[in-house]
Amino acid sequence: MVEHCRKAFGMANFLKVDPMPPCPLRGGMVDLIFGYSVFSRLAPHCADAWVGEFARITRPDDLVLMTTQGRSFIEFCRQVRESGDCSRPWFASLAKAFVDTDQAYRDYDAGQMLHFGEGQHGSTFGGSLIPHGCIESIREDFDLVDFIDDRAIFAAGAVEL
């Protein structure tokens, strides 16, 4: 993917990093961080560590743009579970997620990060939903510019810190 991005977007630098920070960049070096479908996969401790790393490597007033799954993903998991469709490994994993749908909605609406996973990649990976209230409380290092949870605009909710 890094090589594809380098060919497609030659005016930027791309690098592959380990699941947990730090990354090899020096502090204050980065103008823009963009992650598509990254925070929708990270376990809470890993997501928090990366937010801290982003604060270290960006300068004040730079942008960090991330996508995450929105509230509607809870319903999607319920539908997968009820359909019994485990034809793909991802669906089999989703069928085990947020089994208590009502509690998942309450937790999401209370601003709690929701995560499911089976210990992949040293327990750094799985599936996560990061609601607006959680984003506001993650770090004092960033100002929240916008939080959009509208599938008509984005395939996944987008967060701009």
Side-chain angles (χ1 to χ4, degrees), residues 145-160:
V145 175
D146 205 352
F147 182 93
I148 302 167
D149 187 1
D150 183 350
R151 287 196 178 270
I153 298 172
F154 295 106
V159 176
E160 188 176 306

Side-chain angles (χ1 to χ4, degrees), residues 43-66:
H45 72 283
C46 189
D48 189 52
W50 276 108
V51 170
E53 181 69 350
F54 295 160
R56 182 186 74 79
I57 64 175
T58 57
R59 291 183 293 265
D61 298 323
D62 289 344
L63 286 175
V64 176
L65 302 146
M66 293 290 146

